[in-house]
Amino acid sequence: MGSTNWVPSEEEREVMEAVWMQVKGACEKLKEETNAQDEHIRKMLQEMAYRYYS
């Protein structure tokens, strides 16, 4: 089974950008309020993506 490349529409790109800004803000707040470092946040995001999208 071959894989296809997904090319997002302009509307999908705008939604992804808005979601990314929310995630980025939440990560910055987490770093400010805890001792979480970039590698901790990276691992958390990877675990969330794996859990919900695999």
Side-chain angles (χ1 to χ4, degrees):
M1 184 184 284
S3 65
T4 59
N5 290 331
W6 174 63
V7 178
S9 68
E10 186 61 31
E11 182 179 354
E12 289 167 329
R13 284 184 169 288
E14 289 175 11
V15 170
M16 289 188 304
E17 182 68 23
V19 170
W20 171 243
M21 294 305 290
Q22 292 177 4
V23 169
K24 186 177 175 186
C27 290
E28 291 300 322
K29 185 174 182 180
L30 180 64
K31 284 173 61 174
E32 290 172 4
E33 295 180 359
T34 69
N35 65 351
Q37 301 297 311
D38 287 345
E39 63 268 16
H40 302 126
I41 293 171
R42 185 178 304 110
K43 183 177 179 185
M44 177 186 68
L45 292 172
Q46 287 173 338
E47 288 175 3
M48 290 170 60
Y50 179 77
R51 180 179 300 149
Y52 294 109
Y53 298 104
S54 63

